[in-house]
Each structure stands twice: as C-alpha cells, then as structure tokens.
Amino acid sequence: MGQLIKLQDYISRYETDVYRYASEFIRLKKRQWEQTKEQWENNKSNDDIPQLDETWEWLVEKPSLFDRMKKWFKRSSPQEETTEVQTNRLIDGEEGLPMIITEAKNIDELKILFLENMFQLQLQWASSTIWYESAVDKKFYYEEKLKYFLQRFPDTYLCLYKPVFLVKSAPVELDVILLSPTTTWCITFAEGAKDNIIIASSDRFWTEIINDEEKKMINPIIALQRMGKIVANIYKQYNVDFPIKKAVINRYGYIDYRRATFGDVHFIDKRNYEQWFSSLRKLKIPLKHAQLKAASCLLRHCYSHYDIRADWNADEEKV
C-alpha cells in the first residue's frame, strides 16, 4: 500500500518528519493487518453467531460487498468527527476494524475492507498534524487514481498526489510524483474511453480517437516536462542523487507516439502496462535513505494551506 505523503495543498504530518512517519506507517499497517486477520479467523471459527446492533440490521439481507462497503464507508465519514478522534479509533481498533471483521465473508473481502480502512487513515495523515489540519475535499475519498497509487503499490512507495509547489513564490499544481526506493516517477495520465487511440504530437493538443470519432485533449507532455524540471531543480539544490523518470499512462487504451520525439518520456499503454506495473510491484526493497532524503526535499518546497485544529480551538474556548 503506497504512502500518501502529500495531497494537493493540505498539510501533512510527513512534512514534519518523513523519516519517522514513513517507517511508522509500515509498522502500523503490518500490526493492524495481523491483528485484524487473527480476529477475523477467530470470529469465523466461533460457532456463536455475533449479535447484531440495531444499526447493523441491513446485514441480515446479505447485500453485495459493494453495497456493504458504501454503507460502512458512509457511517465512517471523516466529515462527522475530528481527525484526532478518527485516527485514534482506527489505530486502537475502536470502530473501523471490528466492523470489517464482522462484515468480511472471506479473506479477499477482508483485505478489501482493510485497505479501505487504511485509506481513510492515510487521508487523515495527509491532511493534519498534531497542531494543524486542512479541510479535505470529499472527492478525494472516492478518487480512483488516488486509490490506485495507495492500494496497488508496495508500502515502500511514497506518493505526492497533485502537490502544489512554490516556484519563485508562485503556487504550481503538479500531477503525480511517485518515489520508489530506487527511482522518482513523474506521472501524468492520458486516458479516456476504453480501447481509445491517442495520437501524440508536439502540438498543444493531442487527438483521441473513439469509434472513428475524434476529440481534442491537451498535450500532457507540457505539464509532465515542467514537473520533471521542478523536481530536478530541487534535487540539484540539495545535492540529491536520485534518478528521475517521466511517464504518460493510458491503462485502458493506446498511445501512438510515432509522429513526434519526446526524449526520455516513457509511454505506458495497454501493450506494456502490465509489464511496467508488475516491475514496480515486484520491487521488494525497503525504504532507502536517498529516497527519504528526496521526499524530504520535495516536501520543503510544497505549499500548505491549513488552520489550527478544531479540537485545539475548542480547548482554548473552554479556558
């Protein structure tokens, strides 16, 4: 499960100490999974049928996993309570984990629900510190590409998702920066309809072909090259020796890039996506110092918008 160290312009606890929190997340996730799996197995071997609370009556009708996840997710909405309370509940197993232990019918469902539980924790870590917090847009709790990077990559991958960097005092939003233990991946997507064909060129617009119909899309290479340049300049400033690779991804269709030269850009489409994705997932290397140093330097140049935490404000008003 990749780690979300920066989300847009939200304050992240990784900014305070990426060395500590990157390893802490791996330790926490491993401990929580072992405890969750053990409790689920014990629950399955117990002949006694668990008593259902009134709020769990919908379980009797045996809805689909998707419906159960939606209802569980709605009841666990992060908008209904403070970040600190949610984090404590997730870490201590007060709410989320007992619920998924009851709901999961098999080990595959347990893994899915566990990842959803940890996903919420990650968003909390990526939007708060002990003293400060940022208001998270609800869309991120359902954003497919964000879940893709956090739920399908190893724990040792560090992700900056649409981070806002300060470049000459001006905020600039980038796309995705994914730090593996060995490489910095600057990633942008050029996706659309399934089995589409995207004609790449050096022009401002590319062409997407769907069932013999054409539509224009903005050339993603422009933003990708800018992202690569920003990252390279930061690394140079701090003498960070960490390779940078750039990729345009179309997981569901094809990219025809024969009509122009794009230098060191990797094009990932249906023809080579599985090979690329598998090579990243199979990288069984622990967190590296150079990787964490690179992450720390990038975070120093990110912009964050935040307020003092609501629970701290409440405490002050009581004094």
Side-chain angles (χ1 to χ4, degrees):
M1 191 172 195
Q3 299 189 50
L4 181 61
I5 66 173
K6 186 65 178 179
L7 176 61
Q8 212 161 43
D9 62 349
Y10 304 148
I11 192 166
S12 163
R13 61 189 64 192
Y14 287 91
E15 294 177 57
T16 62
D17 191 347
V18 69
Y19 295 91
R20 170 193 170 188
Y21 283 106
S23 58
E24 177 71 7
F25 175 82
I26 295 175
R27 184 193 65 80
L28 172 63
K29 182 200 165 193
K30 180 180 179 181
R31 186 191 74 187
Q32 289 290 70
W33 170 245
E34 290 173 350
Q35 292 179 354
T36 301
K37 185 171 179 288
E38 180 181 0
Q39 292 177 29
W40 179 79
E41 290 173 343
N42 291 338
N43 185 59
K44 287 298 178 183
S45 62
N46 193 337
D47 293 333
D48 296 331
I49 299 176
Q51 295 297 317
L52 299 179
D53 293 340
E54 290 183 2
T55 56
W56 293 0
E57 289 179 351
W58 55 273
L59 279 172
V60 177
E61 299 178 0
K62 299 181 179 180
S64 67
L65 173 62
F66 178 72
D67 290 334
R68 286 186 282 131
M69 286 177 64
K70 285 198 300 183
K71 291 191 176 185
W72 167 77
F73 197 72
K74 184 177 181 181
R75 291 200 303 274
S76 304
S77 173
Q79 304 299 321
E80 297 177 0
E81 57 186 353
T82 67
T83 302
E84 186 67 17
V85 172
Q86 293 171 56
T87 304
N88 288 339
R89 285 186 175 184
L90 287 171
I91 292 176
D92 297 336
E94 179 181 328
E95 181 175 293
L97 295 180
M99 187 174 294
I100 69 175
I101 289 170
T102 304
E103 295 183 12
K105 295 181 178 179
N106 53 56
I107 192 66
D108 290 331
E109 288 192 6
L110 184 68
K111 290 178 181 178
I112 292 173
L113 294 172
F114 177 80
L115 289 178
E116 286 296 328
N117 191 287
M118 294 302 295
F119 175 70
Q120 291 192 51
L121 174 61
Q122 287 189 297
L123 288 183
Q124 292 159 17
W125 279 26
S127 61
S128 68
T129 65
I130 295 177
W131 295 97
Y132 304 105
E133 64 183 353
S134 302
V136 180
D137 191 322
K138 292 182 180 180
K139 69 178 182 180
F140 288 118
Y141 287 86
Y142 308 95
E143 190 151 331
E144 183 271 333
K145 288 187 178 70
L146 177 57
K147 288 191 174 184
Y148 165 76
F149 286 107
L150 301 190
Q151 296 184 343
R152 304 206 63 195
F153 284 86
D155 299 343
T156 53
Y157 279 68
L158 310 178
C159 179
L160 292 85
Y161 190 82
K162 298 187 183 299
V164 177
F165 280 77
L166 286 178
V167 180
K168 297 181 179 179
S169 301
V172 178
E173 182 177 312
L174 306 183
D175 205 338
V176 178
I177 302 174
L178 188 66
L179 301 171
S180 81
T182 62
T183 307
T184 301
W185 282 96
C186 295
I187 297 173
T188 190
F189 287 86
E191 295 183 334
K194 185 178 180 181
D195 293 325
N196 64 358
I197 299 175
I198 294 176
I199 308 299
S201 71
S202 56
D203 299 331
R204 178 172 175 78
F205 293 96
W206 287 4
T207 302
E208 179 185 10
I209 301 176
I210 312 166
N211 298 326
D212 296 327
E213 295 183 2
E214 296 185 1
K215 60 184 295 187
K216 297 295 183 181
M217 63 183 298
I218 295 177
N219 181 350
I221 296 293
I222 299 172
L224 182 64
Q225 296 289 22
R226 178 179 59 182
M227 177 163 51
K229 184 176 181 180
I230 290 173
V231 172
N233 287 341
I234 292 174
Y235 285 179
K236 183 178 180 181
Q237 180 179 343
Y238 294 96
N239 295 316
V240 175
D241 184 16
F242 203 60
I244 301 173
K245 293 184 179 180
K246 291 168 283 189
V248 179
I249 298 179
N250 182 5
R251 294 168 291 175
Y252 313 115
Y254 305 90
I255 303 175
D256 183 352
Y257 52 90
R258 296 171 297 176
R259 303 183 185 185
T261 302
F262 299 99
D264 57 349
V265 175
H266 297 259
F267 289 91
I268 313 297
D269 63 12
K270 284 187 69 173
R271 292 167 294 189
N272 60 348
Y273 169 74
E274 287 300 332
Q275 179 182 358
W276 174 82
F277 181 60
S278 178
S279 67
L280 268 61
R281 281 178 56 89
K282 290 180 179 178
L283 187 63
K284 304 298 184 181
I285 299 178
L287 291 167
K288 293 295 185 180
H289 177 76
Q291 174 194 16
L292 294 172
K293 180 180 179 182
S296 178
C297 293
L298 292 175
L299 290 172
R300 289 185 201 177
H301 289 264
C302 288
Y303 170 74
S304 296
H305 178 76
Y306 53 87
D307 296 301
I308 228 172
R309 288 174 60 117
D311 41 357
W312 285 111
N313 278 328
D315 290 342
E316 290 179 0
E317 291 175 0
K318 294 177 183 178
V319 176

